[in-house]
Amino acid sequence: MPDLLIELFSEEIPARMQTRAAEDLKKLVTDGLVEAGLTYAGAAALSTPRRLTLAVEGLLAQSPDTREERKGPKVGAPDKAIEGFLRGAGVTRDQLEERDTPKGPVYFATIEKQGRPAADIIAEVLENAIRNFPWPKSMRWGTGSLRWVRPLHSILCILSDEAGASVVPMEVDGIKAGDTTEGHRFMAPGRFAVTGFADYEAKLKAAKVILSPTERADHIWAEAQNAAFAQGLEIVEDKGLLAEVAGLVEWPVVLMGDIAEDFIHLPPEVLQTSMREHQKFFSVKNPKFDRIEKFITVANRETSDHGATILAGNQKVLFARLADAKFFWENDIRVAEAGGQPWLDSLTDVTFHNKLGSQAERIDRIAAMARALAPSVGADADLAEKAARWAKADLSSEMVYEFPELQGLMGKYYAAPAGYSPEVAHAALAHYSPLGPSDDVPSAPVSVAAALADKLDTLTGFWAIDEKPTGSKDPFALRRAALGVIRLVLDNGLRVELDKLFDAQLLRHEIALNENGDVRMALLRDLDNEIADHGVFGAAIRTILDHFDGDLSAHMKEIRDNLPDVSRDLLSFFHDRLKVYLKDKGIRHDVIDACLAMPGNDDLTLLVKRAEALAGFLSTDDGENLLQGVKRASNILAQAEEKDGVEYSYGADVKFAEDDSEKALFAALDASEAAITPAMQAEDFAAAMTAMAALRAPIDAFFEAVQINADNQVLRRNRLNLLSRIRTTCGGVADLSRIEG
């Protein structure tokens, strides 16, 4: 079986596109080969800045012969229908065969196709792949019609086996396939022929080209670590930058340079960001002082002066870049030392969303929410409000304008010069967290208050204007924000009632959206005062709505009526995100549903505590068997209630019990209820589950010995009411009817 080697050689391909392009080439070609009947043993795609390479092993020498029978129109059908079938099947009329079917005589065509040589198929498949390649951006050059990411110079396409290698004859837009390629642009110019993948890879390396992106990245990282270690320094790990730099060079040469003393005092994150974004440099830090002192750059060639000229040029450009960063830093420090008020004032002119107002208005809402949340998270209310107001201040700073990814971090650095406490400084950085499932969760109370307020304002705001996620679309990252709230609550063990938080913030949004300036300010001020006085969101909201009940605008009446529906919808969204979060932790969705059906389902900590206990209980034999017993009791009860048209929910009396198992079940239910009730009040779900487990044996024995639908109607009613006690007792822990199985 021959092997196939393809190389598409061009001008430099952007680093961010290379990996995806190599995989696209592999998919387009291999899918086309298989569709044409050519199977293979394996395929690998590789890339460098100037080439996409595909190696296919164990390819069939030709596609197999095929024979296909195709059913056509009925005999006597209109000529146009028959002619269309003939064209589609590629046969003539005299090749049709009439066959009797249950629906009458029908034409059948037998289509026989002879196998084709692999080279013919490859030529067609590769041309189609090249002409229809899914580049994010492409260009046309010269007089041809072909579009490619950069001008395509040559196509290498050969089939090789024991007998040798042969070129696949093909041509795309005047570029004929051949068996030659080029090495490094500067160190090994000129073309050379190859006979297969092993020969190709070896000759490229001899021509100063490392074909594998992984090998280039490993080489860069090893050389950079060695250079830093030799001077007692460390490389700041940056996997994204490493992958990008590996896509910029074919023959990586690692060089280490100095950062001028003028810039050493800049925050390390500023140095690192400036060098990474503008120069693609790695940062080298001194572990003794935790500061960036040198940089690593990766050249694409070896030079006679061992990179001295390249390094000098890079240092000159870096000096200019860092001079800009120093200028931004010093200007920002002056503003911060004056209190930072110009930054906060300028946010009045920065739109957060055209329906949700400016960043300054948003900060007012977040600050009010953070202050109200403070007691629930153990934070000082004044500090929580200050943190929420300062957290967004750096959005107006020059440094964040230049490097948006530093927002929050610069707020932390600028907080101390502005006179804020360390708690406020940390909150500026931490209030964006967690951004993803692996991101650290803030634990400092002030940071937690600011982070929760920020995310809750975002969610309630977009719910208020009905801009919710749909399907896979989530342009405002609301799913991520909800997951952030979930992790903040659960990781910190917070006890907050989400529906009341939603109501309070939704009310702020709705007032801002619908009321004129003077009325809006009065309403918002009274709402914040009520929350502060009551300390409970729900009571505060009811108070303010009652207070204005006699003089509410039409908008406020609409808000009052619609608020519960919007709040419930948002809570449902949270429950869906919680299911996804807990599923990754091994808790089944039906277990979560059983707990969601219980009161207090807006208290996520309580909800998860109940779900974990229930999941553990159901994993035991007692739990599984008791579940079946409870379901059996519920089914019998439901059938009887439907038949009799009454509800059996009261009146089970031990004096009507005849069988010992029946009496034992009464006693077991009394004991379990006595244990479950205080356990549930104490939120000791494990103890409640243990008490419920004690019902397993009495329920099993009861069903084994007793006939529920006895002829004696008094006994029957008593036993049905006893089943109701089973359902009620166990249902007080979780809605077991929602458990599958």
Side-chain angles (χ1 to χ4, degrees):
M1 290 184 173
D3 296 332
L4 171 64
L5 175 63
I6 296 170
E7 180 201 73
L8 305 178
F9 184 81
S10 69
E11 296 293 330
E12 277 72 5
I13 304 167
R16 68 184 182 278
M17 298 184 187
Q18 291 169 22
T19 300
R20 174 65 182 272
E23 290 304 313
D24 285 339
L25 177 63
K26 177 182 175 181
K27 178 174 175 56
L28 287 169
V29 172
T30 55
D31 285 358
L33 295 177
V34 170
E35 187 176 342
L38 288 181
T39 57
Y40 59 94
L46 300 163
S47 63
T48 79
R50 302 183 72 201
R51 68 201 80 224
L52 299 179
T53 300
L54 175 64
V56 181
E57 296 180 343
L59 194 66
L60 290 178
Q62 70 173 31
S63 61
D65 297 340
T66 60
R67 187 175 187 275
E68 174 193 357
E69 283 191 350
R70 190 176 299 181
K71 183 180 178 182
K74 292 182 178 180
V75 174
D79 288 342
K80 286 188 177 180
I82 296 174
E83 289 171 2
F85 174 67
L86 294 175
R87 284 194 301 271
V91 296
T92 60
R93 193 157 192 147
D94 59 354
Q95 292 176 295
L96 295 180
E97 177 184 352
E98 293 184 21
R99 296 184 192 173
D100 289 330
T101 69
K103 294 184 178 181
V106 172
Y107 288 120
F108 281 83
T110 301
I111 306 169
E112 295 183 351
K113 292 183 179 179
Q114 289 186 333
R116 300 170 60 206
D120 293 347
I121 296 173
I122 292 167
E124 292 177 3
V125 169
L126 182 56
E127 180 177 359
N128 180 69
I130 292 172
R131 291 193 179 280
N132 297 285
F133 205 84
W135 291 110
K137 291 184 178 180
S138 58
M139 61 183 294
R140 200 172 62 199
W141 64 97
T143 58
S145 61
L146 179 65
R147 299 187 68 88
W148 201 247
V149 65
R150 296 290 185 271
L152 184 64
H153 288 320
S154 67
I155 300 171
L156 184 152
C157 187
I158 58 173
L159 281 169
S160 56
D161 55 21
E162 298 83 355
S166 61
V167 174
V168 174
M170 64 167 294
E171 181 178 335
V172 180
D173 218 44
I175 305 171
K176 292 184 178 181
D179 61 356
T180 63
T181 186
E182 291 186 25
H184 195 280
R185 181 189 290 273
F186 305 113
M187 293 189 291
R191 301 192 70 84
F192 52 86
V194 299
T195 59
F197 180 74
D199 182 49
Y200 168 76
E201 186 176 34
K203 286 182 176 177
L204 278 179
K205 185 163 287 190
K208 305 298 185 182
V209 174
I210 298 175
L211 181 61
S212 167
T214 302
E215 185 179 347
R216 293 197 301 275
D218 290 344
H219 175 81
I220 292 168
W221 189 245
E223 289 294 307
Q225 283 186 309
N226 290 339
F229 180 77
Q231 298 192 35
L233 304 174
E234 296 177 357
I235 301 291
V236 177
E237 186 173 4
D238 192 331
K239 293 181 179 179
L241 179 60
L242 180 60
E244 184 176 3
V245 172
L248 295 173
V249 295
E250 292 194 318
W251 190 256
V253 177
V254 172
L255 304 171
M256 186 160 70
D258 296 318
I259 295 175
E261 191 67 30
D262 290 351
F263 310 118
I264 295 294
H265 71 281
L266 291 174
E269 297 89 351
V270 170
L271 291 171
Q272 185 181 353
T273 302
S274 180
M275 292 192 293
R276 181 184 65 237
E277 295 302 314
H278 292 311
Q279 304 301 120
K280 310 304 177 189
F281 291 171
F282 294 92
S283 298
V284 182
K285 72 176 181 179
N286 187 326
K288 294 179 182 178
F289 307 107
D290 199 29
R291 67 185 186 188
I292 307 297
E293 295 184 353
K294 293 181 180 289
F295 67 90
I296 292 286
T297 184
V298 182
N300 191 32
R301 62 179 297 179
E302 297 170 352
T303 61
S304 58
D305 63 357
H306 305 292
T309 302
I310 294 174
L311 202 54
N314 282 332
Q315 285 177 314
K316 185 176 181 180
V317 175
L318 178 61
F319 184 94
R321 290 295 189 185
L322 295 185
D324 289 343
K326 181 183 177 185
F327 176 79
F328 299 147
W329 168 257
E330 291 173 348
N331 281 354
D332 286 347
I333 287 295
R334 281 193 289 271
V335 176
E337 289 175 343
Q341 193 59 43
W343 290 338
L344 296 172
D345 293 342
S346 67
L347 292 176
T348 303
D349 300 321
V350 178
T351 300
F352 170 64
H353 186 280
N354 62 348
K355 293 182 180 179
L356 295 175
S358 68
Q359 283 284 5
E361 290 173 315
R362 182 166 185 255
I363 288 171
D364 286 340
R365 294 192 302 268
I366 295 172
M369 173 64 90
R371 184 177 189 87
L373 275 169
S376 301
V377 303
D380 177 87
D382 290 338
L383 281 179
E385 181 177 353
K386 287 179 181 178
R389 291 195 178 280
W390 179 255
K392 307 290 184 184
D394 66 354
L395 293 176
S396 297
S397 68
E398 292 187 39
M399 191 68 78
V400 171
Y401 183 83
E402 180 70 12
F403 301 112
E405 60 269 40
L406 292 180
Q407 60 186 278
L409 177 68
M410 300 318 299
K412 176 185 176 183
Y413 278 114
Y414 298 149
Y420 289 101
S421 67
E423 293 92 338
V424 172
H426 184 266
L429 173 63
H431 85 284
Y432 289 108
S433 298
L435 292 174
S438 60
D439 198 14
D440 291 336
V441 176
S443 58
V446 172
S447 299
V448 172
L452 273 175
D454 180 45
K455 293 169 179 57
L456 287 170
D457 180 76
T458 297
L459 288 156
T460 53
F462 284 105
W463 246 255
I465 61 173
D466 199 25
E467 290 278 1
K468 297 174 284 189
T470 56
S472 61
K473 295 182 179 180
D474 187 9
F476 304 109
L478 301 181
R479 293 187 179 95
R480 186 176 69 185
L483 179 59
V485 172
I486 289 169
R487 293 189 64 203
L488 282 162
V489 169
L490 297 183
D491 285 22
N492 289 289
L494 302 180
R495 303 301 304 274
V496 292
E497 297 173 282
L498 284 180
D499 60 349
K500 293 175 181 175
L501 296 182
F502 296 160
D503 286 347
Q505 208 66 354
L506 282 167
L507 189 55
R508 288 189 179 98
H509 282 292
E510 293 289 358
I511 291 171
L513 284 168
N514 294 306
E515 294 298 329
N516 66 50
D518 293 339
V519 175
R520 176 171 67 245
M521 294 307 297
L523 289 170
L524 291 174
R525 184 171 56 252
D526 285 351
L527 174 60
D528 292 338
N529 289 339
E530 289 294 339
I531 290 175
D533 291 343
H534 286 77
V536 180
F537 288 97
I541 292 164
R542 286 192 296 273
T543 300
I544 191 167
L545 288 177
D546 291 344
H547 177 68
F548 285 97
D549 191 49
D551 190 28
L552 283 177
S553 68
H555 285 311
M556 280 299 295
K557 290 178 181 177
E558 184 179 353
I559 292 168
R560 180 188 57 193
D561 295 339
N562 293 339
L563 197 64
D565 292 337
V566 180
S567 184
R568 275 194 299 269
D569 186 61
L570 181 53
L571 183 60
S572 176
F573 175 75
F574 264 81
H575 287 163
D576 289 341
R577 305 320 303 159
L578 182 65
K579 287 181 183 180
V580 175
Y581 177 72
L582 293 181
K583 181 181 178 182
D584 293 338
K585 295 186 176 296
I587 299 180
R588 298 180 347 224
H589 67 88
D590 57 335
V591 171
I592 303 168
D593 284 338
C595 298
L596 286 175
M598 305 303 293
N601 63 11
D602 64 322
D603 183 341
L604 300 184
T605 298
L606 179 71
L607 178 59
V608 172
K609 187 177 178 182
R610 189 194 299 261
E612 289 173 342
L614 181 58
F617 173 66
L618 293 176
S619 66
T620 66
D621 289 340
D622 281 346
E624 181 62 31
N625 290 332
L626 177 63
L627 175 65
Q628 299 308 317
V630 172
K631 286 196 169 186
R632 183 178 179 185
S634 297
N635 290 337
I636 294 172
L637 193 59
Q639 292 171 2
E641 288 176 338
E642 183 179 0
K643 176 183 176 182
D644 300 343
V646 297
E647 180 181 338
Y648 293 102
S649 58
Y650 178 77
D653 195 326
V654 69
K655 71 182 180 183
F656 295 114
E658 290 188 340
D659 191 89
D660 288 343
S661 65
E662 198 171 357
K663 297 173 183 176
L665 180 56
F666 270 101
L669 284 168
D670 290 340
S672 290
E673 288 171 355
I676 288 172
T677 300
M680 293 298 293
Q681 291 173 347
E683 298 178 3
D684 187 350
F685 297 111
M689 301 291 175
T690 300
M692 194 166 66
L695 292 172
R696 174 204 167 176
I699 290 176
D700 288 348
F702 174 73
F703 280 124
E704 187 71 26
V706 172
Q707 179 182 349
I708 305 298
N709 290 309
D711 293 335
N712 185 319
Q713 291 302 305
V714 173
L715 289 180
R716 178 176 178 271
R717 283 195 299 273
N718 197 58
R719 288 169 180 171
L720 289 171
N721 281 314
L722 185 57
L723 296 187
S724 179
R725 274 194 71 184
I726 295 173
R727 183 174 65 181
T728 302
T729 300
C730 296
V733 178
D735 186 353
L736 299 182
S737 68
R738 296 177 183 267
I739 303 296
E740 297 176 356

